[in-house]
Amino acid sequence: MTSLILIFVDLLIAMVIPSTIVLGLTYINRNTKKILVNNYGFNSQVYFGFLGIIVHETSHMLAALLFGHQIVEFKPLVLPKNVARNGGALGYVNQRWNTNSTYQNIGNLFIGTAPIWGCTFVLYLLTKLTMPNLYQFILKLEKAMATMNLDSIRSVISNMNLFNNIDGISLLISVFGLILMTNIVIGGFDLSSNDLKNALGAFIAFYIFFIVILSALVFFGFGVQVNNFLVKLMATFVSIMGLSIFLSLLINLILRFFNFLSRFRD
């Protein structure tokens, strides 16, 4: 009984942590867009975040296809001159699905939150291509966090070596990559109310499904293994999402700083 309770607690943590990160990224980047709109106009979201908008909508579309949804209309980016006639939408995916299909309904959890995973994937890809030292550091940190060994984590951080073999060309490439990543963060991580609404029902169903599976595993004596798996899974997940969280917070704070300066000058 104790093992079963422990698994339920771990599973709750395993579901709450991703949900908190998803909602946190949505809130931070929604606030970033609000600052941009208030200071530079509505269309500034497109100018400063067009790559993120494209990745956002493409992620929705690919996840919808993966779960068997029918794509009715797909617009990865609405140009500034057409935003008003599209009800303020910067991009959209209209889809249909079979409400009697468990697979397609569960898919709404991943379709609704797909931009978080899609944007994170693209950020990692850009990091690998334009900032290889940072990429290697992140990989080592993820492995260390998965072991839950504090000494290993401290060792990785103290030997990060981010500026090894950096020349002028490498620096320019890194700056270019940072610009692209900034654009993706600004435009990509803000989940709409409909995204979150569609994901909620699937989240509840997904949680119940996992309770049944994990209860069976505990019953057959795999409680300790399941517990260790969930702990390592969450440590890895948090470390992977750390890049997205860090960049989102950094960009938001920079915009807040410039906003403060502009008010101070006024």
Side-chain angles (χ1 to χ4, degrees), residues 71 95 99 122 128 159 184 189 210-211 222 235 250:
I71 304 300
Q95 58 189 295
T99 55
V122 175
K128 182 178 181 180
N159 296 283
I184 289 169
F189 281 107
F210 262 86
I211 286 178
F222 294 101
L250 180 63

Side-chain angles (χ1 to χ4, degrees), residues 128-144:
K128 182 178 181 180
L129 294 174
T130 64
M131 305 176 191
N133 288 343
L134 177 59
Y135 179 75
Q136 291 301 321
F137 166 70
I138 292 172
L139 292 184
K140 291 177 182 177
L141 185 61
E142 287 171 5
K143 290 180 181 178

Side-chain angles (χ1 to χ4, degrees), residues 24-93:
L25 283 169
T26 296
Y27 173 79
I28 293 167
N29 290 289
R30 189 171 292 179
N31 182 258
T32 296
K33 284 185 175 181
K34 182 179 179 180
I35 295 172
L36 280 174
V37 170
N38 289 341
N39 288 277
Y40 306 107
F42 188 85
N43 290 337
S44 63
Q45 300 173 87
V46 180
Y47 299 132
F48 288 100
F50 66 92
L51 284 177
I53 296 168
I54 292 171
V55 174
H56 181 112
E57 301 302 339
T58 302
S59 299
H60 278 316
M61 186 266 292
L62 292 176
L65 290 175
L66 179 63
F67 285 94
H69 289 213
Q70 179 185 355
I71 304 300
V72 178
E73 190 175 8
F74 172 54
K75 192 79 171 180
L77 180 68
V78 176
L79 297 177
K81 63 180 181 179
N82 299 324
V83 167
R85 74 180 68 169
N86 283 280
L90 306 179
Y92 54 85
V93 180

Side-chain angles (χ1 to χ4, degrees), residues 33-252:
K33 284 185 175 181
K34 182 179 179 180
I35 295 172
L36 280 174
V37 170
N38 289 341
N39 288 277
Y40 306 107
F42 188 85
N43 290 337
S44 63
Q45 300 173 87
V46 180
Y47 299 132
F48 288 100
F50 66 92
L51 284 177
I53 296 168
I54 292 171
V55 174
H56 181 112
E57 301 302 339
T58 302
S59 299
H60 278 316
M61 186 266 292
L62 292 176
L65 290 175
L66 179 63
F67 285 94
H69 289 213
Q70 179 185 355
I71 304 300
V72 178
E73 190 175 8
F74 172 54
K75 192 79 171 180
L77 180 68
V78 176
L79 297 177
K81 63 180 181 179
N82 299 324
V83 167
R85 74 180 68 169
N86 283 280
L90 306 179
Y92 54 85
V93 180
N94 293 329
Q95 58 189 295
R96 286 197 292 261
W97 68 93
N98 181 3
T99 55
N100 295 319
S101 169
T102 301
Y103 178 70
Q104 293 187 18
N105 282 318
I106 289 292
N108 283 324
L109 170 62
F110 301 97
I111 296 167
T113 58
I116 300 293
W117 326 123
C119 287
T120 297
F121 171 77
V122 175
L123 288 180
Y124 268 78
L125 182 61
L126 283 172
T127 304
K128 182 178 181 180
L129 294 174
T130 64
M131 305 176 191
N133 288 343
L134 177 59
Y135 179 75
Q136 291 301 321
F137 166 70
I138 292 172
L139 292 184
K140 291 177 182 177
L141 185 61
E142 287 171 5
K143 290 180 181 178
M145 290 187 68
T147 65
M148 303 296 290
N149 187 307
L150 291 178
D151 289 334
S152 297
I153 295 172
R154 279 195 290 263
S155 176
V156 171
I157 294 174
S158 61
N159 296 283
M160 58 179 63
N161 298 321
L162 296 180
F163 300 101
N164 280 359
N165 302 317
I166 294 291
D167 55 22
I169 299 298
S170 299
L171 185 60
L172 286 175
I173 292 173
S174 296
V175 170
F176 179 67
L178 186 60
I179 292 171
L180 295 180
M181 292 164 73
T182 299
N183 195 289
I184 289 169
V185 168
I186 289 174
F189 281 107
D190 178 14
L191 298 182
S192 68
S193 298
N194 284 335
D195 292 339
L196 296 173
K197 181 180 177 181
N198 289 334
L200 178 60
F203 171 82
I204 295 172
F206 199 67
Y207 185 67
I208 293 172
F209 171 77
F210 262 86
I211 286 178
V212 173
I213 296 298
L214 292 181
S215 298
L217 289 172
V218 171
F219 178 78
F220 288 107
F222 294 101
V224 175
Q225 292 88 335
V226 170
N227 177 263
N228 291 336
F229 170 76
L230 287 174
V231 170
K232 289 183 178 180
L233 179 65
M234 282 305 98
T236 303
F237 177 80
V238 170
S239 63
I240 289 173
M241 297 305 296
L243 178 63
S244 299
I245 296 168
F246 173 75
L247 287 174
S248 296
L249 284 170
L250 180 63
I251 292 167
N252 184 270

